[in-house]
Amino acid sequence: MKIAIIGLGKMGGQIAKKLHEDKHTVIAYNRSKDSVDEMASLRMIPAYTREEVVKLFNEERVIIWLMVPADVVDQELDEWLKIIPQKSILIDGGNSDFRLTKKRGELVLKQGSILMDVGTSGGIWGYKNGFSMMVGGDEETFKIIEPILKTLAKPEGAYYHFGSSGAGHFVKMTHNAIEYGMMESLAEGYRILKEGPYKNLDLASAGVVWQH
């Protein structure tokens, strides 16, 4: 499947590489030319402007995965909606507010294309272990992009279509809250060890034992 990855940071770059290595046709675009050059050196298709990205799809359906910070999603969507043909598929793989995703989905649909939300977890380890993806949006479009998700989930990740627009980002938001809560509980536990009645406890060793 041909797909453009927009945003080649730590996760976006790993997503592009994983798809490329599984024989998908990857168009790589980033604000930084160096990042695009790096992907080109791995034999992905480089694109240095948004217009070039769209042109490289030729007559095929345009599928664009946005892996950008949440605070620039609106700006990115505005720019892409000016140039993509109707029936294009835009994928927001970041941590957007699900309420904004619903509004953005309506905006994109009015202009003849489809926005899918794919909350993506796995960090840079997703490249090796597989990403976990929480999907929201149109069910038929989910089936179209499913080959991409299958690749990204290999070997130990997972994906699921949770419902209409915003559902994926809602599940991802809840996942983040749980994860941050676990991190906070670890921090509190280490503080108890450090400030408790037994001085000079080896905190790192306690962590190693806890992991087993």
Side-chain angles (χ1 to χ4, degrees), residues 150-185:
K150 284 182 177 179
T151 289
L152 293 177
K154 295 178 183 178
E156 297 177 0
Y159 66 89
Y160 190 80
H161 178 241
F162 284 96
S164 60
S165 182
H169 280 154
F170 180 73
V171 176
K172 179 62 164 62
M173 176 193 71
T174 307
H175 159 273
N176 288 350
I178 293 169
E179 198 167 58
Y180 298 153
M182 291 170 66
M183 292 166 64
E184 174 64 20
S185 69

Side-chain angles (χ1 to χ4, degrees), residues 82-93:
K82 293 175 185 176
I83 60 175
I84 58 174
Q86 290 196 347
K87 298 185 179 180
S88 295
I89 299 172
L90 297 168
I91 301 166
D92 181 359

Side-chain angles (χ1 to χ4, degrees), residues 2-9 11-20 24-31 36 39 44-45 47 53 57 63-68 76 80 91 148 152:
K2 182 180 284 188
I3 182 171
I5 305 299
I6 312 304
L8 302 171
M11 279 187 69
Q14 301 293 334
I15 286 170
K17 290 177 184 177
K18 196 170 182 72
L19 290 171
H20 173 68
H24 295 276
T25 301
V26 176
I27 300 167
Y29 172 78
N30 198 70
R31 289 180 297 178
V36 179
M39 297 300 120
M44 294 180 218
I45 303 172
V53 170
F57 279 94
I63 302 177
I64 294 174
W65 182 300
L66 300 173
M67 206 66 199
V68 299
E76 284 292 322
W80 289 107
I91 301 166
I148 296 165
L152 293 177

Side-chain angles (χ1 to χ4, degrees), residues 131-145:
F131 293 95
S132 295
M133 293 154 289
M134 293 137 269
V135 186
D138 176 67
E139 186 170 1
E140 290 303 314
T141 307
F142 164 73
K143 293 175 182 177
I144 293 172
I145 67 171

